[in-house]
């Protein structure tokens, strides 16, 4: 499938050495030539270049700007195609159309709306912690019993998705993201999700409720209403991003603090806030490793490198977060006292900055103190080296997270 891709860094689909891969990308320079499952692309590893390119209108999200797609080199059989050819939504268009699709979502995720949903997040957090305590188990998989269901329940209530459907959706998303899923099965899952979300949108159209899906359908801001396809596209992507990112954020923060008890003690003593740990985790151990993909509408020169028209560009946010020019020579260290933690761009930058960033932060800053308050003696149940990533190329997705409750 691939064209000649000299000196490319092959992104490991099994995620066997994420730290080593990040170091190799950083060493390759601000723009690194990579290979994604046989497909060549550029990836950005430097903060300043990311800021430059994320606002460059010559880089677009529309897959029809990709020469490998137009030439038939990349087809629907490529395992990552579902993340790029994802239907019409605010995540796949640019310019005025992007603004039209995005504004209705940002209105529905306004600070006022987040204030309203805070009690819901607190309630769902307590429900899950109560269930963990009532289980009587000393060792649990924190991902399965807490970090995974919490964001799904939050985004489910926000979007009006029935809780009874959550296990099915989690199964679908796991199959969608895993590189162990045969492509024919992944395409079937994509079709099933399209059917499910289309039926949900039609149900909300006929019987609207107080949720984001209904708000997207009936938003009235003087502009053109969203089409059914556009609501489905936004909804599908928001549910995916709305739980996957927060799962990683919660688990990665817990891992960082349990292996650095002196920093956890500083938070418990009130010297630093939980948001310091959250922002440093977002920088240092980003839930998003590689975000696919933008396409050059003309040749773009970055330093001594030319991104040619039609080439794909990836943002490697984990590598960007380790930029020594921004975060210092010790950027490979986790440090909640770091003054530059908040300068990360894990949620993006520019027009396509993640609309759910504030929600993810809110969930994490509610969930983490509640977890450590309920289980003050929480500790890892296995050596940290035994905690492995799932074969997911784009997210920092852990297979499991065994903890001892104490």
């Amino acid at each position: 499938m691939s064209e000649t891709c000299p000196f490319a860094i092959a992104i490991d689909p099994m995620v066997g050495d994420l730290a080593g891969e990040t170091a190799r990308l950083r060493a390759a320079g601000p723009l690194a030539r990579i290979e994604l499952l046989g497909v060549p692309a550029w990836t950005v590893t430097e903060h300043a270049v990311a800021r430059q390119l994320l606002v460059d209108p010559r880089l677009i999200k529309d897959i029809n700007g990709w020469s490998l797609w137009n030439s038939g080199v990349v087809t629907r059989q490529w395992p990552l195609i579902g993340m790029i050819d994802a239907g019409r939504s605010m995540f796949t268009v640019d310019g005025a159309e992007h603004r039209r699709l995005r504004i209705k979502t940002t209105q529905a995720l306004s600070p006022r709306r987040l204030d309203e949903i805070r009690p819901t997040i607190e309630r769902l957090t307590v429900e899950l912690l109560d269930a963990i305590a009532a289980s009587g188990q000393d060792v649990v998989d924190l991902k399965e019993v807490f970090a995974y269901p919490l964001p799904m329940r939050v985004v489910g209530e926000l979007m009006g998705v029935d809780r009874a459907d959550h296990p099915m959706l989690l199964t679908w998303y796991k199959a969608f993201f895993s590189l162990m899923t045969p492509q024919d099965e992944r395409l079937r899952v994509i079709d099933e999700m399209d059917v499910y979300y289309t039926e949900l949108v039609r149900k909300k159209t006929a019987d609207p409720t107080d949720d984001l899906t209904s708000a997207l359908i009936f938003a009235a801001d003087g502009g053109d209403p969203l089409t059914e396809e556009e609501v489905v596209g936004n909804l599908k992507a928001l549910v995916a991003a709305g739980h996957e990112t927060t799962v990683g954020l919660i688990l990665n923060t817990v891992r960082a603090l349990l292996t650095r008890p002196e920093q956890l003690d500083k938070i418990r003593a009130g010297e630093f806030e939980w948001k310091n740990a959250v922002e440093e985790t977002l920088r240092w151990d980003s839930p998003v490793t590689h975000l696919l993909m933008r396409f050059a509408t003309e040749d773009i020169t970055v330093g001594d490198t030319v991104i040619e028209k039609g080439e794909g560009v990836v943002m490697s946010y984990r590598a960007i977060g380790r930029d020594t020019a921004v975060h210092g020579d010790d950027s490979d260290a986790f440090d909640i006292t770091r003054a530059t933690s908040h300068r990360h761009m894990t949620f993006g930058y520019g027009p396509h900055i993640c609309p759910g960033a504030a929600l993810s932060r809110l969930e994490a800053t509610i969930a983490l103190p509640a977890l450590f308050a309920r289980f003050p003696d929480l500790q890892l149940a296995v050596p940290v080296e035994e905690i492995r990533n799932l074969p997911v190329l784009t997210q920092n997705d852990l297979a499991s997270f065994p903890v001892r409750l104490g």
Side-chain angles (χ1 to χ4, degrees):
M1 177 184 292
S2 65
E3 295 180 340
T4 301
C5 192
F7 312 114
I9 297 172
I11 302 301
D12 179 13
M14 301 309 294
V15 199
D17 180 18
L18 188 55
E21 179 179 277
T22 300
R24 289 190 293 276
L25 289 172
R26 293 279 307 135
L31 270 177
R33 195 66 168 159
I34 60 172
E35 185 175 315
L36 298 166
L37 305 181
V39 172
W42 293 100
T43 195
V44 180
T45 69
E46 185 178 277
H47 186 100
V49 174
R51 283 176 65 98
Q52 171 190 339
L53 292 179
L54 286 170
V55 297
D56 193 322
R58 297 172 296 175
L59 280 175
I60 64 172
K61 301 283 283 186
D62 186 348
I63 192 173
N64 294 304
W66 194 13
S67 60
L68 295 181
W69 174 255
N70 293 330
S71 66
V73 173
V74 173
T75 70
R76 293 288 291 171
Q77 288 303 309
W78 188 50
L80 301 175
I81 196 63
M83 300 182 192
I84 303 172
D85 185 26
R88 184 175 174 79
S89 75
M90 64 179 174
F91 300 94
T92 58
V93 299
D94 299 277
E97 278 300 276
H98 170 256
R99 290 190 292 273
R100 183 180 73 85
L101 295 179
R102 182 184 174 90
I103 191 170
K104 300 176 189 301
T105 300
T106 54
Q107 288 172 345
L109 289 174
S110 66
R112 180 186 64 80
R113 179 64 167 164
L114 292 179
D115 284 342
E116 291 174 353
I117 202 172
R118 173 184 285 274
T120 298
I121 300 172
E122 293 170 342
R123 171 177 57 80
L124 293 172
T125 299
V126 170
E127 286 179 4
L128 288 168
L129 293 175
D130 285 347
I132 294 170
S135 72
Q137 299 180 68
D138 182 44
V139 175
V140 298
D141 179 355
L142 192 66
K143 178 179 182 179
E144 179 181 356
V145 300
F146 187 65
Y148 214 20
L150 177 61
M152 190 66 202
R153 291 185 185 183
V154 171
V155 78
E157 292 215 10
L158 184 65
M159 306 301 293
V161 176
D162 194 318
R163 187 181 291 190
D165 295 336
H166 292 184
M168 175 184 66
L169 290 171
L170 290 171
T171 298
W172 279 345
Y173 282 115
K174 183 176 181 180
F176 173 79
F177 286 114
S178 174
L179 294 178
M180 299 300 291
T181 304
Q183 184 62 3
D184 287 346
E185 181 180 341
R186 182 180 289 103
L187 293 174
R188 176 183 57 78
V189 166
I190 292 172
D191 289 342
E192 289 176 346
M193 286 195 289
D194 285 341
V195 170
Y196 173 81
Y197 285 117
T198 298
E199 290 178 350
L200 177 60
V201 169
R202 290 174 180 174
K203 175 183 175 182
K204 296 294 182 180
T205 302
D207 185 19
T209 53
D210 183 20
D211 54 54
L212 180 51
T213 302
S214 300
L216 289 173
I217 296 167
F218 294 102
D221 59 355
D224 293 334
L226 301 190
T227 66
E228 180 179 89
E229 177 191 6
E230 291 167 345
V231 175
V232 169
N234 277 1
L235 175 58
K236 185 169 56 175
L238 284 166
V239 174
H243 80 275
E244 282 287 341
T245 301
T246 310
V247 173
L249 176 54
I250 291 171
L251 292 180
N252 294 345
T253 307
V254 172
R255 175 170 57 178
L257 292 175
L258 290 182
T259 53
R260 294 163 183 80
E262 72 286 354
Q263 297 197 41
L264 178 58
D265 288 344
K266 289 180 184 295
I267 295 174
R268 284 174 157 161
E271 297 177 36
F272 292 88
E273 299 180 36
W274 283 100
K275 69 178 182 181
N276 294 94
V278 168
E279 296 304 322
E280 178 67 351
T281 299
L282 286 166
R283 177 200 73 82
W284 178 76
D285 200 11
S286 167
V288 178
T289 47
H290 310 289
L291 187 66
L292 315 184
M293 186 182 289
R294 288 169 168 79
F295 310 103
T297 58
E298 60 182 79
D299 290 358
I300 301 173
T301 301
V302 179
D304 297 329
T305 302
V306 177
I307 303 169
E308 295 183 2
K309 179 180 178 179
E311 289 190 313
V313 179
V314 174
M315 295 289 158
S316 287
Y317 284 117
R318 194 175 193 275
I320 292 167
R322 305 295 183 96
D323 191 337
T324 57
V326 177
H327 302 292
D329 292 340
D330 65 341
S331 63
D332 282 332
F334 178 89
D335 182 3
I336 62 169
T337 72
R338 189 182 305 277
T340 63
S341 294
H342 66 285
R343 292 186 60 193
H344 70 83
M345 55 174 63
T346 290
F347 288 115
Y349 181 75
H352 281 279
I353 191 170
C354 176
L359 176 61
S360 186
R361 287 182 165 106
L362 179 60
E363 290 180 57
T365 53
I366 290 173
L368 290 164
L371 171 68
F372 281 95
R374 180 65 69 92
F375 303 108
D377 298 320
L378 190 73
Q379 57 186 290
L380 294 177
V382 299
V384 68
E385 297 80 11
E386 294 183 15
I387 297 176
R388 304 293 185 186
N389 279 72
L390 286 170
V392 176
L393 189 145
T394 51
Q395 282 99 252
N396 189 356
D397 196 354
L398 302 179
S400 63
F401 199 90
V403 294
R404 192 174 302 279
L405 300 176

